[in-house]
Structures are given as structure tokens and as C-alpha cells.
Amino acid sequence: LEKDPGYLGRIRAIKDKGKRKAFESGDWDAIDQVDGALWTYAGLEGGRMVDHVYRHTVSIVERVVSVDPSDGDVEGDGYGVAVCAKGMDQIGYVEASFDWRGVSIQTLARQTIKLYYRTGADCIVIEKNHGGKWLKGVFNLIVPTVPIRLVWASDGKRTRARPISALMEPDRDRPKKQLYLARMVGFQPDLEEELCTTIFDGKEESPNMLDAMVWGLHYLLIKHRQAQTMDLQDERLPGR
């Protein structure tokens, strides 16, 4: 304060009550929060599970590899991939995330199928709108027996992401073991940066890993309750 006598005055002038309290308490995670982002670093950290604890304590009932397809252009947007699971506790877990670029669509499909087998996933979830419909044909040419679920978006990315971000924030009205209904497993810095900095203004680079994670958790925790038991399920989800 001796070096900057006006510091307290500037803090008191901050209109955002939450951010003002963050400066007063030195909560740097809250201070770094990006206006307009749906996720916060503090929220992700609060729900995070250490990898080895997760492997030894959570029983998985279903796992998916979810894909936010690129347009097939090697120089185009990244190909977002997330591995998401639902536990017997009915909580969703984000196990891994990837942003693959610079290779052909056939190579991307092979990598996705390898990930499906390596993780023991139950199916691959693909967004139909942005190249997913023809991508299914590429998968079928490589391994026809891999189960594919096509999901169809109709509104905005933010609309689709909002309910998933809510699941990843704590709800003090729930029992302690279900404080978070969706959680990060381990540290995934690239995905976490997308989650905490994307503001859905249409000017930023497409958040491919964020989209893939949202598709996976949406399928497992929200829409999958209505899914039919068939190899190809074409569901309409809110959001694109």
C-alpha cells in the first residue's frame, strides 16, 4: 500500500462483487477468470481426481470416445477427442483429451479406433453436423464393427456447453460425494485452458477439445438416458 496508495480505492471501484472479493482475499484463480467463460480454474481444481486414486476407487459402467470432427482439411481446424466415462456413482469423468492436427482424415480415424480399443470404450460418439456423417463411413471402412453414435446439434456451442459446465461446478445442496457431478481426472492443461478461456464469441479458434468433452459428457449424463440400444443412434442435441 505504501508503494501504491490508490490500490484499495481501485479494488473498491470494481463493480463485479465476486472479483472485488477475489482481489481483497488474493484469490488469484478467481482474478484470472475470463469474463464470459463458463468454466473456472478453481471449479475444475475443486472437482479434480488424482489419476491413481480414480483408477483404484471408481467403478466405471460406461466409457465413450467422443469426437469433434475437423473438416478433413489437413490445414483446417483440429480434430478434438475426449475420453469420458460414467461411474457407478452416476458421476461423469473426463479421463483424457487430445487435439490432433496435420494428418489425413484416414489417419485420424485409425487413431480414434486405436484409442477406442485401448481405453475399452463402449462406443465412439461423433458430432454429425461438421463432417461426422461422412466420417462414420471412414470408420466403417477401417473396422465395420466399431459401434458409432451420431449426435446432432441444433443451436449454439454455448447453449450446449452450459449444462455440462454446471455439472462441473460444486452444488452445496448435494451430498459431499456428489458435490461435483462431472470431474476432471488428472491434469489436462490444454483442455482446461480451452474450458476456462473460451467465451463463444465466434472470433476465437474453435475449441475442439471442449466440444468433444461436451459431446461425451452430454451423451453419458444427459441424452444417453433416452438412447436406444443400437449401433447407430442419431440423437438431436441442443447446440452447435
Side-chain angles (χ1 to χ4, degrees), residues 164-212:
I164 301 303
S165 68
L167 295 177
M168 300 181 81
E169 289 291 328
D171 186 338
R172 306 297 174 185
D173 293 330
R174 290 194 293 261
K176 186 175 181 180
K177 289 185 177 180
Q178 290 192 317
L179 191 62
Y180 297 86
L181 294 182
R183 309 177 68 172
M184 297 292 294
V185 177
F187 291 90
Q188 302 177 51
D190 292 338
L191 170 60
E192 292 174 34
E193 182 177 358
E194 278 194 359
L195 295 176
C196 297
T197 61
T198 298
I199 60 175
F200 307 96
D201 64 355
K203 300 176 183 178
E204 57 208 349
E205 185 176 355
S206 179
N208 305 301
M209 289 178 290
L210 180 157
D211 283 342

Side-chain angles (χ1 to χ4, degrees), residues 13-231:
I14 297 174
K15 294 181 179 180
D16 186 319
K17 185 178 179 181
K19 188 155 286 189
R20 185 168 67 248
K21 285 187 174 181
F23 272 100
E24 290 171 348
S25 62
D27 184 350
W28 300 109
D29 284 330
I31 292 169
D32 290 340
Q33 180 178 343
V34 175
D35 290 336
L38 295 178
W39 282 265
T40 67
Y41 288 107
L44 295 178
E45 184 61 34
R48 190 186 312 281
M49 286 201 73
V50 179
D51 187 75
H52 75 271
V53 174
Y54 171 71
R55 303 295 175 187
H56 288 89
T57 61
V58 178
S59 297
I60 299 302
V61 296
E62 186 169 16
R63 178 178 287 113
V64 302
V65 172
S66 50
V67 174
D68 181 61
S70 66
D71 55 12
D73 185 348
V74 172
E75 301 300 326
D77 288 340
Y79 178 97
V81 182
V83 181
C84 301
K86 180 170 69 174
M88 288 187 67
D89 52 13
Q90 301 303 301
I91 294 174
Y93 297 93
V94 185
E95 297 181 335
S97 51
F98 308 92
D99 184 15
W100 293 333
R101 298 170 182 260
V103 294
S104 69
I105 196 64
Q106 290 80 10
T107 299
L108 292 171
R110 290 189 182 93
Q111 289 179 185
T112 306
I113 291 171
K114 287 179 181 178
L115 185 63
Y116 160 81
Y117 283 116
R118 189 169 75 244
T119 59
D122 295 279
C123 68
I124 298 174
V125 176
I126 305 176
E127 178 193 4
K128 179 180 178 181
N129 301 52
H130 190 57
K133 189 172 183 180
W134 58 261
L135 182 59
K136 177 185 179 292
V138 178
F139 281 116
N140 287 341
L141 286 173
I142 299 171
V143 183
T145 56
V146 170
I148 304 293
R149 303 287 187 267
L150 291 182
V151 287
W152 180 17
S154 58
D155 297 320
K157 289 175 180 284
R158 188 180 185 89
T159 301
R160 181 175 71 248
R162 190 181 294 278
I164 301 303
S165 68
L167 295 177
M168 300 181 81
E169 289 291 328
D171 186 338
R172 306 297 174 185
D173 293 330
R174 290 194 293 261
K176 186 175 181 180
K177 289 185 177 180
Q178 290 192 317
L179 191 62
Y180 297 86
L181 294 182
R183 309 177 68 172
M184 297 292 294
V185 177
F187 291 90
Q188 302 177 51
D190 292 338
L191 170 60
E192 292 174 34
E193 182 177 358
E194 278 194 359
L195 295 176
C196 297
T197 61
T198 298
I199 60 175
F200 307 96
D201 64 355
K203 300 176 183 178
E204 57 208 349
E205 185 176 355
S206 179
N208 305 301
M209 289 178 290
L210 180 157
D211 283 342
M213 184 202 78
V214 167
W215 286 120
L217 290 179
H218 207 301
Y219 178 82
L220 289 170
L221 302 179
I222 299 176
K223 283 293 183 179
H224 187 39
R225 297 169 190 162
Q226 305 169 3
Q228 301 174 9
T229 54
M230 54 194 304
D231 281 349

